Amino acid sequence: MKRKHQRALGLIFSRPVSGSFLRRDVEALFHELGGEVSERAGSRVAVVLFGEVSVFHRPHPSPAME
């Protein structure tokens, strides 16, 4: 796993959760783990990872996850 993806995992699981990582970094992490990211209606994104489907809302106008 690339250092960039390890950093994203560290930020996601830190306590308190950091709000300083970007949406595109999280999506890249999903791809690295073998997930499939697809667009849904509006600002929603579906992620299929390890046989599970999750739907997320993309934040806007800011690209940061909050």
Side-chain angles (χ1 to χ4, degrees):
M1 184 180 297
K2 293 181 181 178
R3 180 84 175 143
K4 173 182 167 181
H5 302 303
Q6 290 174 350
R7 179 183 168 276
L9 272 176
L11 289 173
I12 291 169
F13 289 106
S14 65
R15 294 288 181 243
V17 176
S18 174
S20 65
F21 53 96
L22 300 177
R23 170 188 38 84
R24 68 176 177 258
D25 293 339
V26 174
E27 289 183 16
L29 177 61
F30 286 143
H31 284 291
E32 177 71 17
L33 294 173
E36 181 181 321
V37 179
S38 60
E39 301 290 326
R40 292 283 176 103
S43 298
R44 290 182 286 281
V45 177
V47 178
V48 179
L49 184 63
F50 307 124
E52 298 288 325
V53 179
S54 297
V55 178
F56 299 96
H57 183 266
R58 278 197 175 136
H60 53 82
S62 172
M65 299 292 287
E66 296 176 357

